[in-house]
Amino acid sequence: MSNKIVIEPVTRVEGHGKVTIHMDKKGAVKDAFLHIVEFRGFERFIQGYPYWEAPLLVQRLCGICPVSHHLAAAKAIDQIVGLNPKDLSPTATKLRRLLHYGQVFQSHALHFFYLASPDLLFGSDIVPEKRNIVQVAIANKELAKKGILMRKFGQEIIKAITGKKIHGIAAVPGGVHKTFMPEERDYFLNGKEIPNIDTMIEWSQEIVEFIKSYHDKHFRWLDSFANYPSGHLGLVSKTGALELYDGRMRAIDGDGNITLNDVHNDDYIKYFTEGVEKWSYMKFPYLNSLGRKNGWNRVGPLSRMNVADSITTPLANQELATFKAYTSGNPNNCTMHYHWARLIEILHCAEEMKILLNDKSLLGDDLLREGTRRPEGIGIIEAPRGTLIHHYKVDDKGMITKCNLIVSTTHNNEAMNRAVRWVAKETLDRQKKITEGMLNQVEVAIRAFDPCLSCATHALGQMPLHVSVYDHENNLIDEHRKS
Amino acid sequence: MSIAKVKGATHGSEKIDRQKFLDINQEDTLFIAIGNSARSDDGLGWAFLDAIKEMKNFKGKTAYGYQLQVEDAERLSNFPKVVFIDAYAGEDDISFEWEKTEPVNDFTFTTHALTPGAVLYLCQDLYEHHPQAYTLKIRGMDWELKIGMSEYAIQNLNEAMTFFSQMIQE
C-alpha cells in the first residue's frame, strides 16, 4: 500500500480531471496518474444519424474548439460524398481555412491570456484566489485588453463565417453553405469597429516578444520543468511546412528520428492503435511500429514546431527559426515551451488571416462540388490542441454505422501522465506537508498542454477542486477543497 | 409603481420606478441573455429575449451568450445601460426577480463563467466605464440536456413577459 494524493478536478482545463499521486512508506512518490473519470460515448450515440448531420452534431463535443470538430467532420463527410480536399472549390477551401485560423487564433488567445498567464505572471506559489485571468486583468490592464480583443477578433471571424461564435454552421458536404460578403471582409480590414488584422499581427508579434523576454528571465524553470523526451506528431505540407488544415502526418521520436514519414490521412488506421487502461476512460494512442510503451506522441503547438521544417508565413517562420535554434535543431521536449510555440502559431494564424482576407476569391460564389458516394470518410485536422482525427462509415442509406474520434487531448494522454509524474517526483517527493504551490505545479504541467477533457471524454458543469491525501495504508489523512 | 417579485414571496422585493424602467427600454441599452436552450430551463433567458424582441414597444439591443466571460467587459463598455437576463435555481417561491446590479469583486478560481457583478467590476476596472445595470432572474427547475422548458419555467417566463410588457407601455 502507498500514500495517495488526489487532486480533483484539475482547475483551468476544459473539463474535469483527477490526479492521484501514490507515495510509499517513506513518503517518496511512487507513481502518479491523470485519471479521466468521465465518459461521453459520442462515438456511439452518433451512430444511426445521417452523415450530413455529423459536422453539426460533433461540434457539440466542445464549447471551446467546436470549429475544429466541425471542420474535421466536414472533411470526412466530403470524402463520403466523393470529394478529397483538393476537389473542393478554392472559395470553399479558403473560407474553411479562414474559419480554422480564426478558431486557432481565438483558442490560443483564450489559453494564453485566460488560463496560462496567471501561472506565468504570478508564479505557482500564489494563493488560488489570485491565479485567474481576472487578477491578470486587474494587475496588467493593457495585456488583458489586448488578450480580450485578440480573442474577440477570432470569435468575430467565426461568427462572420458560421453565423455564431459557438456552434454555428459553415461547412456542408462538398463545401460551404454561404458566400462571404465584402462588408463582412471589410469589418476585419478597416479597423472601424474592431482593431484590424494588421493590429492583430502587431499584437501577436508583441506577445511573442513577451514570451521570449519572459523566457530570458525564467529559462531555468521553463527549460527544466516537466522536460522529458517524447515522440511528436503533427501535420505537414508536401514541402514539410507547418500545416493546420490539411496535410500529411509526420512523427519524430525524442531524438528527431522520423517515426511516421508524411503518411496520407486515409492510412492513419494502419499506423495507430488506441490502448486502454482500467483507471481512465481516455484512450492511449500509439504508433504500431513502436508499440504501446514507446509509440506515444505529444501533439499540439510544441510538436508542430518540432515536426515542421518551416512555416509558410514570413514572421512566424522567423520565430520558428529562433525556436529551433534554441535547441540547436534538436526536438524541443520542454513542456513549458508549449506556451512559446502556441504564440508563434498565433502569429502564423494572424498572417494567414490577412492573406485570406485580401484574397478576392474568398468572396466567390462557387461554394459546392459534387462527387460519387463512398462508404467511408476520414478527416484529419490540426486543432488548437493537436492532431484531430474523425473517421466515419455509413450504410447505403447514408446513416452512420461507425464513428472513431481520436482527439488531440487523447494523443497527449500519456504525455500528460508523464508530466504529472515528473512534477510529483520533483516537488512532492519526501515532503511532509503538501502545499498549495506544490499542487498547483501539477496543474501547471497539465495546463501547458491546454487539454480539453470535454473533447476527450465528457464534461458538463464544474465541480470544486478536491484534494485528498492518503497514507501508505490508504487511510485519508488530509483533505483540501477549493470552490 | 410595480412589484417586480411575485408569487407571494416578499423578501427583497424591489419597487420599480416606471419612469426609470422606460429609460432602460432605450436603443442604447444592451439586453444580454445568458443560458443554453439545449438544457431545458437554462434557456429561459434566451426565450425571454426572443419574446421581447417581438414586442412593439421594445427598443433595446440584444445579445445571447452561454455564459458571461471576461470579454463581455469589453462589450459592456459600449453601452450606458445593460440588463442581464438569466435563469436561476433558487429555493424560494419567486417566479422572477428584477434587481439593480452593482460591480462586485467576487471572482473565484474558476474563470469560465463570471457573475454580472464581476463583469461590471472588470468593465469599470479595465475600461473605466460603469453602466447602469439590472438583472432579471427567471426561476426554472429542470437543467437536464433537453430541448424545451418545463411547464413551471414557461409559466414563470409568461409572468416575467407580462410584467415587462406592462412596464414598457408608453
Side-chain angles (χ1 to χ4, degrees):
Chain A
M1 303 293 279
S2 61
N3 290 336
K4 184 167 70 174
I5 301 167
V6 182
I7 305 173
E8 179 187 21
V10 178
T11 55
R12 277 190 284 133
V13 299
E14 305 301 337
H16 173 205
K18 179 178 78 170
V19 170
T20 59
I21 300 163
H22 300 261
M23 306 175 90
D24 64 17
K25 281 184 181 177
K26 294 178 181 175
V29 172
K30 189 177 169 187
D31 215 338
F33 300 97
L34 171 63
H35 304 253
I36 305 302
V37 294
E38 294 176 324
F39 179 72
R40 190 155 211 179
F42 234 97
E43 292 162 319
R44 179 66 187 85
F45 66 65
I46 200 171
Q47 291 177 20
Y49 281 90
Y51 69 80
W52 55 86
E53 289 188 8
L56 178 64
L57 293 173
V58 293
Q59 61 177 336
R60 297 284 170 170
L61 277 158
C62 186
I64 302 299
C65 53
V67 168
S68 303
H69 289 290
H70 182 61
L71 290 175
K75 285 179 69 183
I77 300 309
D78 288 341
Q79 290 194 334
I80 288 174
V81 298
L83 299 167
N84 292 322
K86 64 179 175 51
D87 301 323
L88 266 62
S89 72
T91 298
T93 301
K94 285 171 185 175
L95 277 169
R96 285 189 185 187
R97 279 187 176 273
L98 179 60
L99 174 62
H100 190 44
Y101 295 129
Q103 151 74 2
V104 176
F105 189 77
Q106 71 87 21
S107 180
H108 281 0
L110 170 78
H111 183 264
F112 183 75
F113 291 105
Y114 290 42
L115 306 179
S117 63
D119 292 334
L120 301 179
L121 292 171
F122 300 136
S124 57
D125 290 330
I126 200 79
V127 294
E129 293 75 18
K130 281 277 283 179
R131 289 200 309 258
N132 59 55
I133 178 60
V134 175
Q135 300 306 322
V136 173
I138 291 169
N140 302 271
K141 285 189 175 58
E142 290 311 309
L143 180 70
K145 282 183 184 178
K146 287 176 181 173
I148 284 172
L149 291 172
M150 288 173 76
R151 175 159 150 82
K152 180 177 179 176
F153 189 94
Q155 287 181 310
E156 291 289 330
I157 288 278
I158 293 169
K159 185 181 173 187
I161 297 172
T162 72
K164 292 165 70 179
K165 290 177 183 172
I166 301 174
H167 299 153
I169 304 168
V172 291
V176 295
H177 79 105
K178 171 186 165 297
T179 51
F180 199 58
M181 306 304 289
E183 58 270 25
E184 290 174 320
R185 176 202 56 191
D186 294 346
Y187 175 77
F188 299 102
L189 295 176
N190 62 27
K192 289 179 181 173
E193 294 175 73
I194 60 171
N196 70 8
I197 185 61
D198 290 318
T199 304
M200 291 302 114
I201 292 173
E202 182 186 322
W203 289 355
S204 298
Q205 287 182 280
E206 282 180 23
I207 202 69
V208 172
E209 289 305 316
F210 168 85
I211 196 73
K212 287 194 293 188
S213 170
Y214 183 87
H215 177 264
D216 288 344
K217 294 173 191 160
H218 303 276
F219 66 90
R220 285 188 181 83
W221 177 52
L222 293 175
D223 293 0
S224 63
F225 186 84
N227 183 338
Y228 53 89
S230 74
H232 296 275
L233 169 69
L235 294 182
V236 294
S237 71
K238 285 180 181 174
T239 61
L242 172 70
E243 177 54 59
L244 297 178
Y245 177 71
D246 186 56
R248 291 175 176 257
M249 301 178 87
R250 178 185 288 182
I252 58 172
D253 65 17
D255 295 323
N257 302 307
I258 295 280
T259 53
L260 194 62
N261 194 4
D262 299 8
V263 302
H264 195 279
N265 286 192
D266 295 354
D267 295 331
Y268 91 92
I269 207 158
K270 294 180 191 170
Y271 298 97
F272 287 93
T273 296
E274 292 181 272
V276 293
E277 299 289 349
K278 62 184 178 184
W279 45 269
S280 178
Y281 278 127
M282 193 155 69
K283 294 177 181 174
F284 292 81
Y286 60 86
L287 285 168
N288 296 333
S289 57
L290 297 175
R292 168 74 178 87
K293 189 178 176 184
N294 299 314
W296 56 277
N297 293 286
R298 296 195 226 200
V299 296
L302 179 69
S303 299
R304 290 191 287 249
M305 295 300 114
N306 278 326
V307 300
D309 300 326
S310 61
I311 296 180
T312 51
T313 53
L315 297 175
N317 192 45
Q318 198 175 323
E319 295 302 333
L320 175 66
T322 304
F323 185 84
K324 283 183 177 289
Y326 189 70
T327 52
S328 305
N330 296 311
N332 186 327
N333 289 309
C334 308
T335 297
M336 294 301 281
H337 288 204
Y338 262 101
H339 300 299
W340 185 356
R342 195 169 284 118
L343 298 179
I344 294 172
E345 288 192 342
I346 277 190
L347 177 57
H348 170 60
C349 289
E351 289 182 283
E352 286 283 12
M353 286 191 287
K354 181 175 180 180
I355 293 167
L356 287 167
L357 287 166
N358 286 289
D359 186 332
K360 286 180 181 173
S361 64
L362 192 73
L363 307 178
D365 56 8
D366 178 13
L367 303 181
L368 283 174
R369 295 283 166 87
E370 292 180 0
T372 305
R373 272 277 303 277
R374 303 174 195 168
E376 190 170 1
I378 296 167
I380 303 183
I381 202 167
E382 282 296 330
R385 293 157 183 82
T387 312
L388 170 64
I389 301 171
H390 278 229
H391 184 180
Y392 304 91
K393 289 183 180 177
V394 300
D395 63 18
D396 292 342
K397 294 177 181 172
M399 300 301 168
I400 295 169
T401 56
K402 186 181 178 186
C403 169
N404 187 38
L405 310 175
I406 305 180
V407 304
S408 322
T409 298
T410 311
H411 283 294
N412 275 331
N413 196 359
E414 181 65 37
M416 289 191 293
N417 272 278
R418 299 282 174 128
V420 167
R421 275 170 224 160
W422 187 95
V423 176
K425 289 187 177 180
E426 286 291 316
T427 63
L428 304 177
D429 216 17
R430 301 185 194 285
Q431 298 294 323
K432 291 183 179 175
K433 187 163 177 61
I434 309 301
T435 67
E436 188 72 43
M438 292 175 187
L439 295 175
N440 191 45
Q441 288 193 54
V442 175
E443 297 182 18
V444 167
I446 297 170
R447 269 198 291 276
F449 291 87
D450 190 16
C452 184
L453 305 180
S454 306
C455 290
T457 56
H458 168 61
L460 292 170
Q462 294 180 335
M463 293 175 67
L465 179 66
H466 184 194
V467 181
S468 303
V469 183
Y470 295 85
D471 66 14
H472 65 285
E473 293 180 328
N474 227 17
N475 299 312
L476 182 67
I477 57 172
D478 198 5
E479 195 170 31
H480 301 265
R481 284 182 186 276
K482 286 193 277 186
S483 60
Chain B
M1 305 290 275
S2 301
I3 304 299
K5 289 186 175 180
V6 293
K7 277 202 171 173
T10 55
H11 64 279
S13 294
E14 181 188 1
K15 293 191 172 182
I16 304 295
D17 182 323
R18 188 149 177 273
Q19 185 53 50
K20 280 188 179 175
F21 208 98
L22 289 172
D23 290 343
I24 292 166
N25 182 35
Q26 298 297 330
E27 290 177 353
D28 59 359
T29 302
L30 176 67
F31 289 75
I32 178 167
I34 307 305
N36 185 351
S37 58
R39 299 192 72 172
S40 196
D41 296 352
D42 198 25
L44 271 165
W46 291 6
F48 181 85
L49 217 53
D50 287 342
I52 66 171
K53 279 161 68 177
E54 302 301 318
M55 291 179 183
K56 193 175 70 176
N57 294 326
F58 178 67
K59 297 175 181 171
K61 300 275 193 310
T62 58
Y64 297 77
Y66 288 102
Q67 51 189 210
L68 290 171
Q69 296 193 328
V70 176
E71 58 263 32
D72 286 308
E74 190 271 339
R75 191 207 303 247
L76 264 53
S77 71
N78 299 308
F79 293 90
K81 292 166 282 184
V82 59
V83 176
F84 301 96
I85 306 141
D86 199 0
Y88 86 114
E91 294 296 318
D92 51 37
D93 193 27
I94 296 169
S95 59
F96 69 91
E97 183 177 354
W98 173 269
E99 63 185 15
K100 192 162 184 5
T101 307
E102 297 290 348
V104 185
N105 186 354
D106 67 348
F107 307 107
T108 59
F109 74 94
T110 55
T111 56
H112 296 127
L114 301 181
T115 64
V119 176
L120 289 168
Y121 184 90
L122 264 185
C123 182
Q124 184 175 272
D125 189 74
L126 286 179
Y127 302 99
E128 298 173 351
H129 181 68
H130 183 179
Q132 183 184 346
Y134 295 88
T135 302
L136 175 64
K137 299 189 293 188
I138 309 172
R139 192 173 176 213
M141 61 184 295
D142 184 0
W143 316 102
E144 296 302 313
L145 285 169
K146 189 172 71 178
I147 301 292
M149 296 184 291
S150 68
E151 285 186 18
Y152 178 78
I154 291 170
Q155 181 184 331
N156 292 341
L157 172 66
N158 289 335
E159 289 185 25
M161 282 162 43
T162 302
F163 159 77
F164 189 82
S165 174
Q166 290 171 351
M167 293 299 286
I168 64 172
Q169 290 292 331
E170 293 181 343

